[in-house]
Amino acid sequence: CDVKVWLVRDLNATIKWCKGCKNFRQWSAFGEKTRATKCAKCRDRQKEKYAAQKELLKMKRKISASAGGACSGSEGEDSSKTQTTLCSKDENDNAPKEHDEPSDSRLDAAIGLSKMMNL
């Protein structure tokens, strides 16, 4: 249903369901990607959200690394390869702090999983 285009004869309009808006939108709102499941506006919003999430993750890793946190990663790998590591400072990182900004729950879950695996 999400890739179907509907013709409304009374209005002489073509519409399609947008999974982002959760509503029918004009087919032209999907831009050049006519088989996409989200309209151009929702795709742009998703790109911005992903970029912000990626930047937040990069900043958290940089802060953890500069604080001297213990990092989990495989040793003996070629250092020229890009490797992703999750760092933690200590066991009290999970304690809520008043000055912390709200964070992405998926990122928090990944950090929590990393801490559990280091035990």
Side-chain angles (χ1 to χ4, degrees):
C1 175
D2 56 357
V3 294
K4 300 274 185 192
V5 178
W6 304 84
L7 174 63
V8 181
R9 291 184 187 176
D10 295 344
L11 302 174
N12 196 25
T14 52
I15 59 173
K16 184 176 174 180
W17 181 259
C18 174
K19 282 187 171 181
C21 298
K22 303 219 182 333
N23 203 350
F24 283 99
R25 299 285 315 261
Q26 289 284 331
W27 193 26
S28 59
F30 289 80
E32 293 180 11
K33 297 192 175 204
T34 57
R35 296 196 50 87
T37 58
K38 294 181 182 175
C39 66
K41 183 179 173 182
C42 289
R43 287 195 315 268
D44 290 342
R45 185 174 45 222
Q46 181 181 11
K47 284 179 193 176
E48 291 172 8
K49 184 178 177 182
Y50 177 75
Q53 179 184 14
K54 192 172 179 180
E55 187 64 30
L56 178 65
L57 180 61
K58 189 184 292 186
M59 287 175 27
K60 282 190 173 188
R61 286 184 181 153
K62 187 176 182 179
I63 289 170
S64 294
S66 66
C71 295
S72 64
S74 52
E75 297 178 18
E77 288 187 1
D78 184 7
S79 61
S80 64
K81 292 181 182 176
T82 304
Q83 68 180 33
T84 304
T85 58
L86 293 174
C87 300
S88 62
K89 289 184 273 185
D90 59 35
E91 296 173 359
N92 295 327
D93 282 346
N94 289 336
K97 298 173 187 160
E98 292 180 357
H99 64 277
D100 283 349
E101 294 180 25
S103 61
D104 188 19
S105 61
R106 288 176 282 177
L107 178 61
D108 291 340
I111 292 171
L113 181 61
S114 173
K115 288 178 185 178
M116 287 175 37
M117 294 177 76
N118 285 337
L119 294 177

